[in-house]
Amino acid sequence: MPCTVLVGGFFGDEGKGKLISYIALKDDPKIIARGGVGPNAGHTVEHEGKKFFLRMVPSGFINTNSRLLIGPGVALTPDIFLKEVELTKTYGRIGIDRNCAIIEDKHINLEENSEHLSKKIGSTKSGVGACNADRALRKVKYAHEISDLSKYIVDVSQEINIALENEERVLLEGTQGTYLSLYHGTYPFCTSKDVCASAICSDVGVGPTKIDDVIVVFKAYVTRVGSGTLEGELPHQEAKKRGWIEYGTVTGRERRVAPFNFDLAKTAVILNGATQLAITKIDVVFPDCKGSENFEELSEEAKNFIHEVESKIKVPVTLIGTGPSALDIVDRR
Ligand code: GTP
Ligand code: MG
């Protein structure tokens, strides 16, 4: 903090939702703003026995003092947004930028009917890619044109930059992951925008000199939904034996699984300019770490893994996820 941006270092689903909710509770940011692609991302937040799946509302919503914003770079589906505002009871403290692009049924239909997207690329078919294509062609609708959204419309960049001028804390949430970036990822098996840290800043209208920390989140193993290369991919049976099987938040598809990849992690750190790393699901790989909040309490194997990451990647691992709830974290910041 004061201005921290958090992004995924692999293929999305690194557990950003949980990390953001932890930082939101712990650091009490004045503003939590979501950049990234749109409702093709799913974030899971678990807190006080409740579990939320979010595709539009910022994952930091569990801090009820924070102002929540969605930046103009984000594509927005009004129905999903309005339902989530109700679910999270965030009415009155959430705003969306007037220039968010609007996903319409025609965008979803186009993706559903596209063999290229649904069969080859393995798209989530949320309509985001088609919406961004229309946006590039300058024919998409913007949020300020939708009457159901009128009470949420704000100037996100202005709000954030005023907060930063007043030395307030701001947390910027990324979506997807580095290797799903349109520019730096595994094209064509990727999303429809760049999703690295600098893109998230651009999505919400914050200049690069205003960022104090970039936290890149990795999971203790690698998962990927949809098509594209996954080095070291484990057969289903092996993934199951290790307890690493997961299902997608948006699509429900079983995720493909591989062990932690140091080469991918190193490059992700460079692409994002990471100042800190977070590693989630250490307890899934080393079950005796479950629920731990203290580094010294972790098993030798888990500590060795963290030390190996730090020595190979040369960025400190400051946050370690040890369970599904927002507060199941070892915080070494
Ligand atoms: P992002 O898309 O990066 O926000 O991640 P996600 O929320 O989609 O990640 P995923 O769907 O893989 O996470 C789903 C579940 O993993 C949620 O129930 C989280 O609470 C849980 N989770 C996150 N971090 C940890 C962790 O460190 N340990 C364990 N056991 N579960 C975690
Ligand atoms: Mg996800």
Side-chain angles (χ1 to χ4, degrees):
M1 294 277 167
C3 192
T4 297
V5 50
L6 183 143
V7 294
F10 287 144
F11 297 93
D13 304 321
E14 298 90 352
K16 295 180 290 296
K18 176 237 172 79
L19 254 305
I20 291 161
S21 51
Y22 171 78
I23 296 171
L25 291 173
K26 195 76 186 171
D27 295 5
D28 197 18
K30 171 93 174 178
I31 293 179
I32 302 168
R34 182 153 171 170
V37 192
N40 53 345
H43 301 273
T44 313
V45 174
E46 280 190 51
H47 184 49
E48 293 175 340
K50 286 199 192 125
K51 195 166 174 170
F52 299 87
F53 300 106
L54 300 172
R55 296 168 65 185
M56 299 268 34
V57 166
S59 305
F61 81 93
I62 58 173
N63 181 335
T64 52
N65 298 319
S66 299
R67 172 89 168 133
L68 307 171
L69 299 172
I70 300 179
V74 178
L76 187 135
T77 308
D79 283 358
I80 298 178
F81 169 75
L82 294 167
K83 269 189 204 135
E84 288 186 3
V85 170
E86 209 166 294
L87 178 80
T88 54
K89 304 188 175 70
T90 45
Y91 180 71
R93 63 183 180 103
I94 188 162
I96 59 186
D97 196 89
R98 68 190 309 277
N99 291 351
C100 286
I102 297 298
I103 299 170
E104 296 182 68
D105 289 345
K106 65 178 178 189
H107 298 125
I108 297 166
N109 294 339
L110 188 147
E111 294 190 357
E112 279 174 350
N113 295 326
S114 158
E115 279 227 347
H116 174 70
L117 287 176
S118 56
K119 298 243 164 67
K120 180 169 181 218
I121 306 297
S123 158
T124 64
K125 294 173 273 183
S126 312
V128 184
C131 172
N132 280 335
D134 272 354
R135 186 175 207 174
L137 295 172
R138 268 64 53 83
K139 57 183 196 185
V140 85
K141 283 195 178 125
Y142 271 13
H144 67 87
E145 297 173 72
I146 309 295
S147 58
D148 287 355
L149 298 177
S150 61
K151 39 186 197 255
Y152 299 97
I153 300 297
V154 296
D155 183 331
V156 166
S157 172
Q158 192 183 41
E159 279 201 36
I160 296 176
N161 283 289
I162 290 173
L164 291 175
E165 231 160 78
N166 294 333
E167 294 179 21
E168 309 272 15
R169 293 173 174 189
V170 173
L171 175 61
L172 307 180
E173 298 187 18
T175 66
Q176 273 80 14
T178 300
Y179 294 98
L180 295 180
S181 162
L182 182 62
Y183 300 164
H184 307 290
T186 52
Y187 183 88
F189 305 105
C190 60
T191 192
S192 55
K193 275 176 60 176
D194 182 23
V195 289
C196 295
S198 39
I200 303 305
C201 299
S202 164
D203 286 338
V204 300
V206 172
T209 53
K210 298 284 161 68
I211 302 302
D212 300 280
D213 267 305
V214 175
I215 304 179
V216 174
V217 185
F218 299 113
K219 189 148 53 183
Y221 44 94
V222 186
T223 60
R224 161 160 220 179
V225 283
S227 318
T229 51
L230 179 60
E231 211 187 302
E233 182 168 359
L234 299 175
H236 171 84
Q237 273 312 322
E238 178 60 24
K240 198 170 163 189
K241 203 171 101 195
R242 297 189 191 196
W244 296 1
I245 297 283
E246 300 179 355
Y247 297 91
T249 332
V250 179
T251 57
R253 288 181 289 190
E254 184 175 315
R255 292 178 181 154
R256 301 159 58 204
V257 185
F260 191 88
N261 186 320
F262 287 93
D263 292 333
L264 288 182
K266 259 187 214 166
T267 305
V269 158
I270 294 167
L271 288 167
N272 291 290
T275 60
Q276 299 179 36
L277 306 182
I279 297 196
T280 59
K281 300 207 174 181
I282 192 100
D283 58 301
V284 175
V285 178
F286 308 106
D288 41 9
C289 299
K290 189 154 184 66
S292 209
E293 289 174 25
N294 182 331
F295 187 74
E296 290 315 315
E297 262 174 47
L298 302 183
S299 64
E300 283 309 307
E301 274 178 301
K303 277 192 268 194
N304 288 343
F305 171 65
I306 299 295
H307 289 141
E308 188 183 1
V309 170
E310 291 185 323
S311 80
K312 285 190 173 152
I313 297 174
K314 305 204 167 23
V315 177
V317 176
T318 54
L319 294 159
I320 303 166
T322 57
S325 284
L327 299 176
D328 294 333
I329 286 250
V330 172
D331 188 344
R332 304 162 84 206
R333 293 180 298 165

